[in-house]
Amino acid sequence: MRRRVVLAATSLLLVLPAAPVQAGVDDPAGDKAFVRIVATAHDYPIVRAGAWSALLSSDPDAAVARFLATDYEFLIQRAQQTAHRNLEFCTRVRDTTNKEHTPEVHAAATYAVASGSAGIQAEFVRTGYAAAQLRDRQAREAKGEHEQALVEADWVFVRNLAAHDPGEQVRASATWATRPVATNTDLVEFFAHGWAYGARLDLEKHRRSGFDNEVRWRARLKTLTEAALAAAKTARETATELAKAAAVKAWQDVGAHSDPARSAWAQAQQLAERQAAYWAGIAVVAGGKTGPNWSAVVDPALGNRTAWDNEQQFGQSQARFWAEQLRIAQEGEQRVRL
């Protein structure tokens, strides 16, 4: 079964692009809705494809349940193998560069992804990326305008990012660009690509953490809910105090299981809100600057603001789902006590 899932997922990789999180699709409280979000927003292409395979199967209810129970973790493991890591890297580089500011890198990454060849993608990771970066750097240096446009305030700004940016990977990229031996070339590279690339990594880490946790929580929720329903049935049929107490405890377990999920999604919403506001501010700053370095930041900033806005909406929908599970558990417990 897993082999068939992987084959179906792999075939879908060629036709299903990544998409931002969208809120309010289908029933926001259902597993299908959650899996559809995974299908459109997970950063691993093979996981997205596996989710679509489940949704589009002849028996989507069973396929979605299997995806959450076993296939998700299996596809995560496959995605972390070398070939899929290479494709992920090529895709990320393609999506965080553009023809204007990093034409050689963007073209090479685009070709590697479009080729569908594991060998070409591996070659891009091994040497092609660095070679394309060098060509872009040499072209910028030949023109001279990027380094000439740098001012001390740019160094101060990026040093501040290294210390205070909300994203771990952006902080790391900014720290490297402003290390004691850094040159103007390093700072230009940060504006041209490093900032956007680090931001993409931060977004992907946030999404993956939420998806991973949610899959585990939902799998456990299914087990606990089934146990509570069975215990409630036994309590009704036997009408004994022991069975009633067991049913009450089972529904309480369901309610308690919602606590960490509700807390985690509340924190995720807060983080997404801060990130969205941060990138909105960066877009304003970049839009008010002149020169080729800051112009490279405008579009990524706007894109990140939208992405984090969508993450906030997704977190809200998941928080509502778990609040509903708590309500269901409390009502189940109350019915048993009557």
Side-chain angles (χ1 to χ4, degrees):
M1 175 62 71
R2 284 184 172 180
R3 181 174 176 81
R4 288 198 296 272
V5 168
V6 170
L7 289 174
T10 302
S11 66
L12 281 169
L13 290 176
L14 300 177
V15 296
L16 294 175
V21 172
Q22 298 293 331
V25 293
D26 296 337
D27 175 9
D31 287 349
K32 285 183 184 177
F34 170 68
V35 173
R36 186 176 293 274
I37 296 295
V38 175
T40 58
H42 202 284
D43 53 299
Y44 287 155
I46 195 171
V47 176
R48 294 198 306 271
W52 276 119
S53 181
L55 291 167
L56 299 175
S57 72
S58 59
D59 186 0
D61 290 337
V64 164
R66 185 173 61 250
F67 177 81
L68 292 173
T70 60
D71 292 348
Y72 177 85
E73 289 295 337
F74 178 68
L75 292 171
I76 287 290
Q77 293 173 14
R78 283 297 303 270
Q80 292 170 345
Q81 294 176 3
T82 302
H84 296 296
R85 288 201 303 269
N86 288 344
L87 174 58
E88 176 194 359
F89 177 78
C90 296
T91 302
R92 187 185 296 118
V93 172
R94 179 199 65 185
D95 293 346
T96 56
T97 57
N98 59 60
K99 296 178 181 179
E100 180 181 357
H101 299 288
T102 50
E104 292 290 335
V105 170
H106 181 73
T110 299
Y111 171 72
V113 173
S115 73
S117 166
I120 291 174
Q121 291 161 6
E123 186 64 23
F124 178 81
V125 173
R126 284 195 299 269
T127 61
Y129 176 53
Q133 281 186 309
L134 178 60
R135 293 194 298 273
D136 279 331
R137 187 180 307 121
Q138 290 172 336
R140 286 193 295 267
E141 290 174 349
K143 291 181 179 179
E145 59 183 16
H146 289 79
E147 292 193 13
Q148 291 173 9
L150 290 175
V151 296
E152 179 58 28
D154 295 334
W155 286 93
V156 172
F157 192 95
V158 179
R159 289 190 188 103
N160 185 61
L161 293 179
H164 303 295
D165 191 278
E168 177 184 5
Q169 293 299 323
V170 170
R171 291 197 303 273
S173 183
T175 298
W176 175 259
T178 57
R179 66 197 188 281
V181 296
T183 65
N184 285 344
T185 298
D186 292 309
L187 198 64
V188 169
E189 287 281 357
F190 176 79
F191 280 100
H193 177 49
W195 199 349
Y197 188 82
R200 174 66 174 263
L201 289 175
D202 286 324
L203 178 62
E204 288 179 358
K205 180 180 179 180
H206 174 82
R207 283 180 176 171
R208 190 182 306 134
S209 176
F211 287 146
D212 290 354
N213 287 333
E214 187 71 2
V215 168
R216 288 192 291 268
W217 289 328
R218 288 193 180 224
R220 180 61 176 158
L221 173 67
K222 180 178 176 62
T223 300
L224 291 174
T225 301
E226 289 174 348
L229 290 170
K233 182 175 182 293
T234 299
R236 290 194 304 271
E237 293 174 347
T238 63
T240 65
E241 288 301 315
L242 184 61
K244 184 176 180 179
V248 167
K249 176 63 167 55
W251 280 119
Q252 288 175 340
D253 288 344
V254 174
H257 179 65
S258 73
D259 290 344
R262 288 185 291 113
S263 175
W265 283 116
Q267 293 177 19
Q269 287 179 69
Q270 293 172 3
L271 173 61
E273 183 178 8
R274 291 197 300 271
Q275 282 277 25
Y278 161 77
W279 282 108
I282 294 298
V284 171
V285 171
K289 300 281 188 176
T290 59
N293 295 309
W294 280 99
S295 67
V297 178
V298 176
D299 286 344
L302 292 173
N304 282 315
R305 182 196 64 186
T306 299
W308 284 105
D309 278 338
N310 288 332
E311 288 299 315
Q312 183 181 5
Q313 293 172 27
F314 177 55
Q316 289 173 347
S317 71
Q318 299 312 110
R320 288 194 297 269
F321 171 84
W322 287 102
E324 177 65 9
Q325 302 317 300
L326 177 60
R327 184 192 67 78
I328 290 171
Q330 291 172 337
E331 289 185 354
E333 178 185 348
Q334 184 62 28
R335 284 194 300 272
V336 172
R337 292 184 182 277
L338 293 178

